[in-house]
Amino acid sequence: GEKGNPQKHTDVIAVYAYWLFNREGLHSFNVKDIVDCYDKTRIPKPANPNQIINANVSSHLFGEAPEKKDALKAWILTRTGEEYVNQMK
């Protein structure tokens, strides 16, 4: 099924990041924020969420935030990421 597909997870996490930025008003997010989104939406989470986040960094959807959030590495949604999610809808 779909849940083993990391490509699908990169999209799911991009949508979560978009939601956190635009609806929740976060300036940056960490892996815990993403895992919370999986829990709220009841989508089975990937074994290694950090790996999926890093894949989105590689494709320029996310950027590294200048500072940590709750002592965890944090990321931001880039303009590229925002446009990517917008064209997905």
Side-chain angles (χ1 to χ4, degrees):
E2 285 285 14
K3 74 170 181 279
N5 181 350
Q7 285 318 112
K8 180 85 166 54
H9 279 299
T10 55
D11 284 354
V12 170
I13 288 183
V15 171
Y16 288 159
Y18 185 92
W19 174 263
L20 292 168
F21 267 68
N22 291 290
R23 297 286 187 281
E24 304 283 323
L26 294 190
H27 296 296
S28 68
F29 59 92
N30 61 28
V31 70
K32 190 182 168 303
D33 295 319
I34 294 297
V35 168
D36 286 347
C37 288
Y38 272 101
D39 290 341
K40 280 181 197 143
T41 52
R42 299 207 170 96
I43 293 173
K45 30 184 183 288
N48 187 349
N50 276 307
Q51 200 175 6
I52 314 287
I53 291 170
N54 287 327
N56 279 352
V57 172
S58 299
S59 55
H60 307 293
L61 302 184
F62 299 166
E64 214 170 301
E67 50 220 29
K68 291 186 170 186
K69 178 173 189 278
D70 305 325
L72 293 168
K73 189 171 176 174
W75 293 274
I76 57 160
L77 180 69
T78 62
R79 188 176 292 268
T80 306
E82 200 146 359
E83 285 165 5
Y84 179 78
V85 175
N86 279 327
Q87 59 88 39
M88 243 186 334
K89 289 176 185 164

